[in-house]
Amino acid sequence: MGLLVFLAMQVNAAYAGEVQEYRVEADQYYQQREFKKAYKIYYKLAQQGDHYSQAQIAKMYTTGEGKKVDLAQAYAWSVLAAESGEKELLENSDILLSRNTDPELARKKAEKLRGKYGVEALQKKAELAEKKKLKNFGKCTGSRIRCS
């Protein structure tokens, strides 16, 4: 059991390092004002639940950097970022909602994104993937080159 915990920690550490590398790359593009390139990387990370990248996307929709200004979309991404529990991100989310001309639309967009990329949604996806792996475990035959 100790080996499994150790391996899980190694995988998480490797993933965290990879996320950090992509953040640095996206931040460099952002600093160079190559907003579309930065957005593309932030978006990939945000889909995986990276709160920093979700906050960056919210900022880009707020300021119109690389994207058309869309306060409803900015609010939606800020809600996901606020799932981190950071006070500043929670406050930013409230401010963005108050700036929206159609708060109900903003809330709907936030719920839609939360259903796809929120903490709970990503946990459910991970659990389903794990169940699928366990279900298929041991079903490999010698005729297959690779089993999942």
Side-chain angles (χ1 to χ4, degrees):
M1 188 64 133
L3 179 60
L4 290 177
V5 171
F6 174 76
L7 291 174
M9 289 172 49
Q10 294 299 330
V11 168
N12 287 339
Y15 175 74
E18 190 175 299
V19 166
Q20 187 60 34
E21 287 176 27
Y22 283 118
R23 279 185 192 167
V24 167
E25 183 179 358
D27 287 344
Q28 287 173 344
Y29 283 131
Y30 188 88
Q31 293 299 322
Q32 294 167 359
R33 305 189 58 78
E34 293 187 49
F35 299 122
K36 290 183 181 189
K37 288 180 180 179
Y39 177 88
K40 197 173 188 177
I41 296 170
Y42 288 138
Y43 185 77
K44 291 283 186 191
L45 294 172
Q47 288 177 307
Q48 297 173 30
D50 182 51
H51 298 300
Y52 173 82
S53 296
Q54 292 165 345
Q56 288 299 103
I57 289 174
K59 178 182 174 182
M60 294 174 86
Y61 275 112
T62 302
T63 60
E65 296 169 325
K67 288 292 186 185
K68 182 180 168 193
V69 171
D70 183 339
L71 294 180
Q73 199 67 21
Y75 169 74
W77 282 105
S78 74
V79 167
L80 292 182
E83 286 185 340
S84 70
E86 289 186 38
K87 185 178 177 184
E88 182 182 328
L89 297 176
L90 291 164
E91 290 170 354
N92 186 45
S93 186
D94 291 340
I95 291 167
L96 283 170
L97 183 61
S98 71
R99 290 180 55 196
N100 266 276
T101 56
D102 187 349
E104 192 55 38
L105 173 65
R107 285 186 186 100
K108 285 180 183 177
K109 285 187 176 191
E111 282 308 307
K112 185 176 179 181
L113 277 182
R114 189 180 263 161
K116 290 171 113 177
Y117 311 123
V119 171
E120 285 184 32
L122 293 175
Q123 285 174 339
K124 285 180 184 176
K125 285 180 188 177
E127 288 169 9
L128 288 174
E130 189 61 31
K131 283 181 183 178
K132 186 177 179 180
K133 280 183 186 178
L134 290 175
K135 182 180 175 185
N136 293 328
F137 184 74
K139 290 187 178 182
C140 298
T141 66
S143 63
R144 295 186 184 156
I145 294 174
R146 183 185 126 191
C147 298
S148 46

